[in-house]
Structures are given as structure tokens and as C-alpha cells.
């Protein structure tokens, strides 16, 4: 009887173990364009590769999808020979591995879009997004080999550049957010004693900021320890090219820094009422962006508002409208509006949270000197406001000859005030 019970237990054990094995892994497959381009003419080919980031080098099979439709290919590479317009779409791949407890799948990859064009001209655009300040190269490509005599570039249906000759390349220099839009090109060439012309379909150009405006999140719930603390999280998108320079985060309460600057995007602080904000700064790129103020609790003891002063432009924004010059001799002027945060497919978040006791120690020691550049500028602004107050006091003493005695008293009091400062 005991032997029979043991056999029953052993026979059901694999089923119990199999139920605990996850059917989907935590890592994602990746699709890479190996040959061809994202935009091709009908009849051309494209080769895609699916990679599985598995450090154990397990054996995987590959599932390919165009949109929601699964394709019959199961190899590492997917090749489109003599493609047709109907082959256009977003291509995904996914890894699958057979085990004793069932199939295990990877997460489905991010898509690679392939556009098959049945026309005579294609405008080739680099993969998005382009970054503010970069140079973007656009190429007007013909289906046949012909010597061009004119190429025109359009943005949202409006001509922006024209060049004579066989050069098919256009350059958008010093990109701004205003350069976003749908671009197309028209190519003209001579053949058989006649002039022929073809225009491409629209291709989207996307431009993103290197550093978006931060958004401060305040987490103050009873799950935090100690309970009289709260967490400040600075959310943003960081789109610098690899290798990306380090980014520093700063946190403020009532415009006073509350923690030592670090590479962590979150910090623990005492749960007290006030107006909070955060700032992200990339010293190597000379870029910094600050979030809007967020109130927490009943705010009653805010410092008085400072007198309005002349606005000083930041180190990475110009108040002069620049002119974007292109190699074709045509210039495009942009008004460069205030940059707004953009969504991006490639963003970098730093999520480690420092120990609350380390944060408290840093706050008590008053070690907030790492932000030397920003602190010195704020100090300079404060001294400038003090100087303005002294000048206003001096002007008060000259208002009227009939009240010269009172004016003299006022100027003396102003002198005493400036001395105290």
C-alpha cells in the first residue's frame, strides 16, 4: 500500500511543478534590419534578424508576425524576396523554447516597419527620432538609374528646398521641434528626349528633445518607512545618443534644495507642507530642465515673492531667431518656440532609491554644495535684486524738493538698510 501511494505522489509531482513554470520569460526578443532599407521599391528585398537576449544560450525557435498575422517562417532570419506592396507593415518576432513542462515564450519584440513603394521615387529618412540640434540627411531615391537635373523637397506639401544637378541629398541642420512634419520629394530627369518627373509619398520626420521637462511625483502613503517620510520622484525622458553623459537630479522645497544632488531620480524627505520641484541637469551637454511646482499639504509659510527682474536667457536657449542654412543655398528661418516634452521610444530612467537614513544625514549636514554652478547663478540673481532695492531707496530721496527733510530721513534709513545687508 505504501508503494502504491509513493507511485501516485511521484506521478503527480511533475504536473505540480509544471504549473509553477511561467509560460513567458521576462526578456524581450529584438528585430534588426540587416540589409535593405525601411522603405524599398516593389521588387526589392529586405532581410530581418531576430535576436534572443538569453545568457544561457538555450535553443530557441522563432515566430514571425506582420501586424497581428503570424507568418510561416520559423528561422532566425526573415527574408522578403521581390517584395510587393502588400508586404508593407510592422514586423515582430518572438522566441519560443520547448521544455519538459511546456513551451516558454519571450516577450514579443518592438516592431520594425517596412514600406514597399510601387512608385518611381522614395524619400529615405533615418530612423526616428532625430534630436534637437542634430543634422538630418534625407535622400530622394529613384527606381531607375538616371541623371537628375532637379530635385525639390517639400514639407507638408510646401516647397522648402530646391537644388539643380544630380545630387539627391538634402540636409536639415540644427534640428528644432518645428522641423517635424511629413516630407516628400520630386525628382526630374531627361530620357528619350523628354523630361520625366516623379514625386514620392510622404515620409514622417520626428524630432525629440534631448531632455524633456521633468514631472515631479510625490508619494506620501502609509506604506513608506519611516511613516513620517515621503518620496519625491523626478520623471523625464533622456534621449542622448549612446554613450549618454551622466544626468544629475536636484530636489527643492520652497525653492531651497532639500537633498544632495545625485544620479538617482528619487529621494526620501520629511513629510512637511510646502511647494516642491525637481531639476535634471546634464553638465557635459550644458542642458538643465526644471519641473513645475507641486504643493503638498497646507502651504502657509511660503517666502514672499521677489520683485520682477529682467529675464535672463539660459545657456542652452537663444533669444535670437537663428537661420538654418542648408548646402543648397536655401535658408529656412524658425522661430524656435519654447520646447515642450515629447514622448519617445528611447528614454532612460534611473530608478534606484537612496536609503532614507542617508538622505536625512545629508539634509542635516547641509551638504548641498554639489550644484555649484546653479547655486552661484541664483546667488547672483539675489544680489542683483538687493542692488535694485538700494537704487529704488535712493530714488525715493529725490522725489520732491518740498519734502527734502523727509527725503533725507528716507535716504538715511535706506543707507542703514543697505549697511545691514
Amino acid at each position: 500500500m505504501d508503494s502504491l501511494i509513493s507511485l501516485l505522489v511521484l506521478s503527480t509531482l511533475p504536473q505540480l511543478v509544471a504549473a509553477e513554470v511561467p509560460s513567458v520569460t521576462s526578456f524581450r526578443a529584438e528585430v534588426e534590419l540587416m540589409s535593405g532599407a525601411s522603405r524599398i521599391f516593389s521588387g526589392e528585398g529586405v532581410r530581418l534578424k531576430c535576436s534572443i537576449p538569453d545568457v544561457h544560450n538555450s535553443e530557441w525557435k522563432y515566430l514571425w508576425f506582420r501586424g497581428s498575422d503570424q507568418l510561416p517562417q520559423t528561422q532566425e532570419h526573415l527574408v522578403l524576396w521581390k517584395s510587393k506592396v502588400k508586404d508593407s507593415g510592422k514586423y515582430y518576432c518572438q522566441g519560443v523554447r520547448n521544455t519538459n513542462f511546456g513551451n516558454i515564450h519571450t516577450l514579443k519584440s518592438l516592431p520594425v516597419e517596412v514600406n514597399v513603394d510601387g512608385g518611381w521615387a522614395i524619400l529615405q529618412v533615418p530612423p526616428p527620432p532625430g534630436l534637437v540640434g542634430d543634422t538630418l540627411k534625407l535622400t530622394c531615391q529613384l527606381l531607375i538609374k538616371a541623371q537628375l537635373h532637379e530635385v525639390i523637397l517639400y514639407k507638408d506639401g510646401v516647397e522648402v528646398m530646391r537644388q539643380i544637378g544630380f545630387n539627391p541629398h538634402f540636409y536639415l541642420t540644427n534640428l528644432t521641434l518645428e522641423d517635424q512634419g511629413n516630407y516628400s520629394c520630386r525628382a526630374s530627369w531627361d530620357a528619350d528626349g523628354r523630361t520625366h518627373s516623379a514625386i514620392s509619398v510622404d515620409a514622417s520626420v520626428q524630432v525629440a528633445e534631448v531632455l524633456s521637462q521633468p514631472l515631479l511625483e510625490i508619494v506620501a502613503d502609509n506604506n513608506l518607512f519611516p511613516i513620517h517620510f515621503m518620496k519625491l520622484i523626478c520623471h523625464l525622458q533622456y534621449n542622448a545618443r549612446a554613450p549618454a553623459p551622466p544626468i544629475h537630479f536636484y530636489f527643492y522645497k520652497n525653492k531651497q534644495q532639500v537633498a544632495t544632488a545625485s544620479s538617482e531620480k528619487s529621494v526620501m524627505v520629511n513629510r512637511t507642507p510646502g511647494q516642491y520641484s525637481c531639476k535634471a541637469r546634464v553638465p557635459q551637454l550644458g542642458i538643465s530642465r526644471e519641473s513645475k511646482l507641486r504643493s503638498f499639504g497646507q502651504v502657509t509659510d511660503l517666502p514672499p515673492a521677489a520683485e520682477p527682474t529682467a529675464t535672463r536667457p539660459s545657456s542652452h536657449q537663444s533669444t535670437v531667431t537663428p537661420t538654418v542654412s542648408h548646402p543648397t543655398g536655401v535658408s529656412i528661418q524658425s522661430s524656435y518656440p519654447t520646447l515642450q516634452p515629447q514622448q519617445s521610444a528611447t528614454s532612460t530612467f534611473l530608478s534606484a532609491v537612496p536609503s532614507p537614513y542617508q538622505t536625512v544625514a545629508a539634509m542635516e549636514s547641509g551638504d548641498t554644495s554639489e550644484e555649484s554652478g546653479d547655486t552661484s547663478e541664483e546667488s547672483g540673481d539675489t544680489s542683483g535684486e538687493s542692488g535694485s532695492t538700494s537704487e529704488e531707496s535712493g530714488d525715493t530721496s529725490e522725489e520732491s524738493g518740498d519734502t527734502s527733510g523727509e527725503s533725507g530721513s528716507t535716504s538715511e534709513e535706506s543707507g542703514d538698510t543697505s549697511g545691514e545687508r
Side-chain angles (χ1 to χ4, degrees), residues 152-160 182-186 199:
I152 304 174
L153 181 67
Y154 301 90
K155 177 191 174 188
D156 299 327
V158 179
E159 179 182 332
V160 292
N182 294 317
Y183 288 77
S184 61
C185 68
R186 178 186 291 276
I199 189 168

Side-chain angles (χ1 to χ4, degrees), residues 200-232:
S200 71
V201 298
D202 287 346
S204 176
V205 170
Q206 301 176 26
V207 183
E209 300 173 271
V210 176
L211 197 65
S212 68
Q213 183 179 15
L215 175 65
L216 179 67
E217 178 186 3
I218 301 177
V219 180
D221 53 46
N222 294 329
N223 295 327
L224 295 177
F225 180 80
I227 59 174
H228 60 278
F229 273 71
M230 65 182 183
K231 182 192 294 185
L232 306 180

Side-chain angles (χ1 to χ4, degrees), residues 128-255:
L131 297 182
V132 170
D134 283 356
T135 296
L136 200 65
K137 178 183 177 181
L138 311 179
T139 301
C140 191
Q141 183 179 348
L142 274 181
L143 174 62
I144 62 174
K145 292 183 178 180
Q147 186 171 353
L148 302 174
H149 68 75
E150 184 181 66
V151 186
I152 304 174
L153 181 67
Y154 301 90
K155 177 191 174 188
D156 299 327
V158 179
E159 179 182 332
V160 292
M161 274 189 272
R162 178 191 297 255
Q163 56 193 30
I164 307 300
F166 57 88
N167 182 15
H169 306 298
F170 297 96
Y171 296 88
L172 303 180
T173 60
N174 196 18
L175 283 176
T176 70
L177 296 181
E178 284 193 344
D179 290 320
Q180 292 187 124
N182 294 317
Y183 288 77
S184 61
C185 68
R186 178 186 291 276
S188 300
W189 70 97
D190 294 329
D192 302 327
R194 294 186 303 172
T195 298
H196 301 266
S197 181
I199 189 168
S200 71
V201 298
D202 287 346
S204 176
V205 170
Q206 301 176 26
V207 183
E209 300 173 271
V210 176
L211 197 65
S212 68
Q213 183 179 15
L215 175 65
L216 179 67
E217 178 186 3
I218 301 177
V219 180
D221 53 46
N222 294 329
N223 295 327
L224 295 177
F225 180 80
I227 59 174
H228 60 278
F229 273 71
M230 65 182 183
K231 182 192 294 185
L232 306 180
I233 308 175
C234 197
H235 296 287
L236 55 83
Q237 293 173 2
Y238 184 33
N239 302 311
R241 305 292 186 194
I247 182 172
H248 298 166
F249 291 93
Y250 305 85
F251 295 88
Y252 302 90
K253 173 191 173 184
N254 299 337
K255 299 184 179 181

Side-chain angles (χ1 to χ4, degrees), residues 48 72 80 119 125 143 146 148 225 259 268 284 289 345 374:
L48 304 175
L80 302 179
V125 176
L143 174 62
L148 302 174
F225 180 80
M268 299 285 286
Q284 293 186 22
R289 300 292 300 274
D374 298 317

Side-chain angles (χ1 to χ4, degrees), residues 171-387:
Y171 296 88
L172 303 180
T173 60
N174 196 18
L175 283 176
T176 70
L177 296 181
E178 284 193 344
D179 290 320
Q180 292 187 124
N182 294 317
Y183 288 77
S184 61
C185 68
R186 178 186 291 276
S188 300
W189 70 97
D190 294 329
D192 302 327
R194 294 186 303 172
T195 298
H196 301 266
S197 181
I199 189 168
S200 71
V201 298
D202 287 346
S204 176
V205 170
Q206 301 176 26
V207 183
E209 300 173 271
V210 176
L211 197 65
S212 68
Q213 183 179 15
L215 175 65
L216 179 67
E217 178 186 3
I218 301 177
V219 180
D221 53 46
N222 294 329
N223 295 327
L224 295 177
F225 180 80
I227 59 174
H228 60 278
F229 273 71
M230 65 182 183
K231 182 192 294 185
L232 306 180
I233 308 175
C234 197
H235 296 287
L236 55 83
Q237 293 173 2
Y238 184 33
N239 302 311
R241 305 292 186 194
I247 182 172
H248 298 166
F249 291 93
Y250 305 85
F251 295 88
Y252 302 90
K253 173 191 173 184
N254 299 337
K255 299 184 179 181
Q256 299 294 324
Q257 193 169 339
V258 296
T260 304
S262 71
S263 60
E264 309 297 341
K265 74 164 190 174
S266 61
V267 70
M268 299 285 286
V269 299
N270 283 314
R271 191 182 301 188
T272 55
Q275 287 191 324
Y276 292 84
S277 64
C278 69
K279 180 167 68 174
R281 183 167 175 258
V282 186
Q284 293 186 22
L285 301 180
I287 299 175
S288 65
R289 300 292 300 274
E290 188 167 355
S291 72
K292 295 181 179 180
L293 293 174
R294 293 202 65 177
S295 297
F296 175 78
Q298 188 69 27
V299 182
T300 57
D301 55 347
L302 295 180
E307 294 292 331
T309 57
T311 302
R312 180 175 56 189
S314 65
S315 59
H316 63 281
Q317 293 181 347
S318 173
T319 57
V320 180
T321 302
T323 300
V324 180
S325 300
H326 301 272
T328 59
V330 180
S331 299
I332 305 175
Q333 289 190 348
S334 304
S335 59
Y336 285 73
T338 302
L339 303 182
Q340 299 297 328
Q342 298 285 325
Q343 296 293 331
S344 174
T346 56
S347 58
T348 302
F349 286 141
L350 304 176
S351 58
V353 181
S355 168
Y357 302 106
Q358 295 175 353
T359 304
V360 173
M363 294 168 56
E364 291 177 352
S365 63
D367 183 13
T368 59
S369 62
E370 292 191 17
E371 193 189 1
S372 57
D374 298 317
T375 306
S376 61
E377 290 182 2
E378 294 173 0
S379 301
D381 294 340
T382 306
S383 62
E385 293 174 3
S386 301

